[in-house]
Amino acid sequence: MAQDIAADVLRKASDVCDEAEVFEEWGEVRSVEFEYNSLKQVKTRQFRGIGLRVVDDGRLGFSSSTDLRDPGAIIRRARSSAQFGDNAAFDLPSAPSHLPDVRTSDPEVLRVEPEDMVEMGQEALEMSRDANDGYLFEAQLSRKTHNRRVLNSTGLDTSYETTSMSALVGIEHFTDDGLLEVHEQKNWGRPFESATDLTEKILEKMDRGSTVVEARNEELPFIFTPKAASVILNPVLLAANGKLVQKGSSVLRGKLGQQVIDERISITDDASIDYAPASGPVDCEGVPATRTPIIEDGVLQNYLLDLQTAGLMETRTTGHGYRSYNGRPSPSSTNTILAAGEHDVGGMYAGLDRGIIVDQVLGSGQSNVLAGEFSVNIALGYLVEQGEIQGRVKDCMVAGNSYEVLSNVRAISEEREWQGSNLLPSICMGGMKLAARS
């Protein structure tokens, strides 16, 4: 029988420390990559590691390793770091009496071989070539198994497996107007058989972007598609992170129960959605995962908390202590769900006399993000006049404050798309300023 290294580390650490917790993860990723219209590589990567968190003389210590031959070394390093660690503000949880019933693994994913993914990539590549032999195609397709286990000195020992399949497809085209690049992705816990749906979306957007139109500095309404909407939402989600709240860095500190953005905006963190990218029955501290409303009807309802942050704030964890084996737990979101609106996307476009559709951005919102500010270059955006898309704008950027623009919402689409672990609609907001290089 193979040695249970995680249990061995826990047992020995528990003998010399007040409390101990081991987080173990292991898995495998098989992927194929296309670049510049040809297959570049096929690879397999396996990973395994453990992280040990201890409470020693009331202080927190941590160490991690992928070399599992010497459990004693992991314990010594954790105890050594505890000499300089923070005071522990929590007790480790005991084994939960009930776990949420959430499906995270599909054995059919394991039956997808690299050859199958190569065939999917070739099929998508041929679609790109048929559309325009001047297009440069790239793609990454992968399938992954990921196991997580958390066990501690109070008797908790729980684990679960996730499977996922993902595809990222991109097409570039160099013209006299410069570079046009469009990409699309999908990621889910169950298998798919083709990536041509992504290529089809890209080709449609390449066609829309083939005409470049002049833009000017002006204030006008913007529609952010699901692919770009996270730029506006991320500063708000960051401010709901309990660690920033506890440290006094969040503008949302002290605002629970208050209106912070438009009443049509509701944001929920939900780890209980079957096969969604960030779902699971427990967080990485062994606390059962829950559906947590962050903002309901524009009113701030909850911060996201792990055990230590919740203890420092003298409240209860929300079950959002997440990490990899080589990092300490920290408050993190899972699946971020923005409630759907009442408008169809086509009607939102048609309702613009003059406006901008933003579909891709460069950068992740540089500026004073903690204050809610964002500033990004528009990588793929379209000018709309009289309800019709006129063409692509280039050399433009948009900046603003998330709380201000999310308090000036004109419409939210009923259609939503998964972008990574975010389920988002399109959002139309007024009063935003376009900066264009003349």
Side-chain angles (χ1 to χ4, degrees):
M1 180 180 296
Q3 183 182 5
D4 188 343
I5 299 295
D8 188 35
V9 170
L10 176 65
R11 178 179 56 80
K12 292 178 178 178
S14 299
D15 288 341
V16 295
C17 298
D18 303 337
E19 292 185 282
E21 168 198 77
V22 173
F23 180 71
E24 181 182 22
E25 64 179 342
W26 67 97
E28 180 184 81
V29 182
R30 294 189 178 185
S31 61
V32 302
E33 185 174 345
F34 289 77
E35 190 175 87
Y36 300 125
N37 293 343
S38 63
L39 177 64
K40 179 183 179 182
Q41 62 180 354
V42 178
K43 61 182 180 181
T44 298
R45 177 177 67 89
Q46 296 178 331
F47 59 93
R48 188 182 192 96
I50 65 170
L52 170 66
R53 181 169 63 166
V54 300
V55 180
D56 199 19
D57 289 332
R59 292 184 175 273
L60 290 169
F62 177 80
S63 70
S64 65
S65 183
T66 57
D67 184 355
L68 308 182
R69 294 172 297 180
D70 186 3
I74 301 173
I75 297 169
R76 288 192 296 273
R77 290 196 300 268
R79 296 192 71 194
S80 178
S81 71
Q83 298 176 42
F84 312 98
D86 295 330
N87 291 324
F90 64 93
D91 294 319
L92 290 172
S94 56
S97 59
H98 173 74
L99 290 178
D101 181 17
V102 51
R103 295 179 177 87
T104 62
S105 178
D106 185 342
E108 291 299 316
V109 172
L110 305 182
R111 296 188 174 94
V112 178
E113 298 295 338
E115 293 82 0
D116 301 318
M117 293 185 285
V118 169
E119 184 176 343
M120 293 181 208
Q122 293 284 6
E123 184 182 19
L125 169 59
E126 289 306 316
M127 179 179 288
S128 172
R129 282 176 168 161
D130 289 344
N132 189 323
D133 59 10
Y135 285 167
L136 294 178
F137 173 92
E138 61 182 9
Q140 295 177 355
L141 298 100
S142 67
R143 62 98 153 159
K144 179 179 181 180
T145 58
H146 193 163
N147 293 270
R148 299 172 179 87
R149 179 188 181 195
V150 58
L151 53 165
N152 66 33
S153 52
T154 69
L156 181 146
D157 188 347
T158 186
S159 62
Y160 68 98
E161 179 185 67
T162 63
T163 59
S164 63
M165 241 190 114
S166 65
L168 172 65
V169 177
I171 295 178
E172 297 178 356
H173 191 212
F174 292 90
T175 69
D176 293 338
D177 292 316
L179 172 66
L180 172 58
E181 179 181 8
V182 184
H183 58 80
E184 296 288 342
Q185 64 82 37
K186 59 182 176 180
N187 178 26
W188 202 246
R190 308 191 77 177
F192 52 80
E193 297 180 349
S194 175
T196 55
D197 56 329
L198 301 181
T199 311
E200 186 175 356
K201 290 175 66 175
I202 290 172
L203 293 176
E204 179 182 345
K205 293 178 181 181
M206 296 289 287
D207 184 60
R208 284 182 177 178
S210 60
T211 300
V212 175
V213 295
E214 183 179 355
R216 60 177 183 263
N217 297 329
E218 59 181 314
E219 183 177 303
L220 71 175
F222 276 68
I223 293 177
F224 281 73
T225 70
K227 199 162 63 173
S230 59
V231 169
I232 307 295
L233 296 171
N234 282 344
V236 179
L237 296 172
L238 181 65
N241 185 297
K243 181 171 287 189
L244 293 178
V245 175
Q246 187 270 324
K247 292 181 178 295
S249 302
S250 170
V251 296
L252 295 182
R253 182 174 182 173
K255 294 188 177 181
L256 286 177
Q258 297 181 25
Q259 191 93 25
V260 292
I261 52 179
D262 190 281
E263 63 183 10
R264 285 169 287 182
I265 301 287
S266 293
I267 303 172
T268 302
D269 184 274
D270 192 352
S272 67
I273 302 171
D274 288 346
Y275 304 112
S279 289
V282 294
D283 70 359
C284 296
E285 297 181 298
V287 178
T290 60
R291 180 183 181 276
T292 305
I294 301 173
I295 293 175
E296 283 188 339
D297 302 326
V299 176
L300 180 64
Q301 299 292 334
N302 286 287
Y303 306 123
L304 301 185
L305 304 171
D306 63 354
L307 286 170
Q308 174 70 356
T309 306
L312 292 171
M313 296 176 66
E314 299 182 345
T315 186
R316 299 178 62 180
T317 177
T318 57
H320 287 88
Y322 288 93
R323 58 178 160 179
S324 62
Y325 74 88
N326 59 357
R328 301 169 187 251
S330 182
S332 302
S333 60
T334 61
N335 303 304
T336 301
I337 314 300
L338 180 57
E342 300 177 347
H343 301 265
D344 68 272
V345 172
M348 289 169 61
Y349 293 177
L352 290 178
D353 290 332
R354 181 176 174 87
I356 297 292
I357 299 170
V358 179
D359 189 58
Q360 290 176 194
V361 299
L362 290 175
S364 56
Q366 300 88 347
S367 197
N368 186 0
V369 180
L370 291 177
E373 297 176 2
F374 63 90
S375 175
V376 292
N377 291 297
I378 300 174
L380 182 61
Y382 306 99
L383 175 67
V384 178
E385 290 183 333
Q386 304 303 315
E388 297 288 339
I389 294 176
Q390 302 301 307
R392 174 169 60 99
V393 296
K394 57 177 293 190
D395 300 327
C396 295
M397 68 181 303
V398 59
N401 181 282
S402 291
Y403 300 99
E404 293 177 3
V405 299
L406 289 174
S407 296
N408 193 14
V409 173
R410 293 191 172 188
I412 301 173
S413 71
E414 57 187 1
E415 304 97 327
R416 295 184 293 178
E417 295 178 5
W418 282 97
Q419 294 293 324
S421 59
N422 299 330
L423 179 59
L424 305 174
S426 293
I427 311 173
C428 179
M429 293 157 288
M432 299 184 68
K433 294 181 179 179
L434 179 70
R437 187 174 69 183
S438 59

